[in-house]
Amino acid sequence: MSLREPGLGEIPVETERVARAVCPDGTLAMRLRDEFADVFSGEAFVSLFPHRGRPAVPPGALALVTVLQFAEGLSDRQAAAAVRVRIDWKYALGLELTDTGFDYSVLSEFRARLVQGQMADELFERVLRAAKERGLLKTSGRARTDSARVLAAIRVVNHLEMLGETLRAALNTLAAAFPIWLAAQADEAWFDRYGHRVEEARLPRGKEKREAWIGQAGADGMRLLEAVFSPQAPRGARSLEAVELLRQVWVQNFQVVDGAVCERDAKNVPPGRLRPFSPYDSDARAGAKRGASWTGYLVQLTETCEPDAPNLITHIATTDASVNDLKMIDAIHADLRAHGRLPAVHLVDANYIDAKGLADAEQAGIKLVGPISKNTTAQSSGKFATDAFAVDWENKQVTCPNDRVADGWYPRVSSRGIPVIRVRFLASDCRACPDVNACAPSKAGRGREITLRERAAHDAMKRNRADQKTSEWWDVYQHRQGIEATVSQGVRAFGLRRSRYRGHPKTRLQHLFTSTAMNLARLDAWITGTPRAGTRVSRFERLRPAA
């Protein structure tokens, strides 16, 4: 397909007349056309289309249809049907009333072009630029961040099902690419074992039978891999994605001992964050948060929260479900800085806060506000808590509340790779102290030991814990809870909880278009004067007696 016109066409007179008559107050689609037509000019997407061939549907029109599709939770078929039959969509796209639209497959082709051309975030950025030009995006004040779990578009399987389905997926892929070669290599028993979907109901029940099934599947997979990687195999067979995944899964789960294929011991397999959990979405991982477990992804949402402007999502990050929120804060700040949207105050929950993050944020000129994890040592509070020890950083000395000076100062790296300082007091000093049982109770008679973070991190953590005890800190932090409403809106109204597509690139594209649709809906509400919804209160809660 070639490109003749990148943007939206002029609105035909008859289309405008009928649309205004049928929808006198307008619709979201019509108002997006009126207010943000320049966002959908399609000029940025010209490079994704060839200059010769049959004329393509304008990319600006496809971008608008995709946004409306996500705004209304439509499938590709439903969105293509809306282009054919809905008057407000024809108005938005500048189509004649008799225009028959396009085939629904064009939408998936457009998304594939965006992913391949690394332009998935182009429309998201264009909407934010348009909002800033209109004075509706304020990024120098407060922002808040939270994450939401995203379920992968796959069937959750157990370990045995995963092994069987991985082998079955490789066989199906090879059957489509090299049917004659595979027919000559396949064992007749493979058709019974892997010809249909591998499900728990079809697998053996007894422990010995299940182990035998795993051993047989391991041997079958190893035999297939040997055939694929032999010199007689067709060119390109080993480069197939399903075959490469089979090789990876078999290396992780099986080994050859004395010429026999056997399953690896549970202690000899990679951690979960490195292991795929489905042959149909190799990017999905298992995650757990706040008592909930799932297989899929995490999406990090960052939005502005100023009273005199709409709350707009300014940053999206999609990771697999195994990534901890704490590891994302530096990446979020770096990306916001690169786009000129770094806030002065960043509100987050405890999952994003640690001492190093607080210090790094201060150095970057950001006030990171959130409750830091509590001290879990035996002396977490009181006279002999860690914060009660006086630290002389210049002389590398620590003095306890009873004026005894530590004997050792040892820079170390913790098991989590964090630079720390181990401080140790002499056992003789501690034994002679009248408060030894409260400060350093030890059957071995050792002296008190404490662990300090590096100076900047230590001071930042100490200040944060002190600030949390003030009402002013909580007055600022109360604004964080609004991000939970954004997550709820994304889940309930925009289908954020479940991935429409398979793989990280397409899932990230979904999140970008979902956030774009949410931003445009919020801009539309602000422009039309629609008030923000208040916090929902259940009927039972309304019966609570006044304090």
Side-chain angles (χ1 to χ4, degrees), residues 52-70:
R52 301 179 63 183
R54 181 166 57 87
V57 179
L62 293 175
L64 178 55
V65 170
T66 304
V67 167
L68 293 173
Q69 174 187 5
F70 279 90

Side-chain angles (χ1 to χ4, degrees), residues 209-235:
K209 292 182 177 180
R210 291 172 79 90
E211 290 178 352
W213 189 94
I214 291 176
Q216 183 62 63
D220 292 342
M222 198 69 71
R223 176 182 165 185
L224 179 61
L225 287 171
E226 290 174 354
V228 168
F229 282 85
S230 68
Q232 293 76 30
R235 293 183 60 183

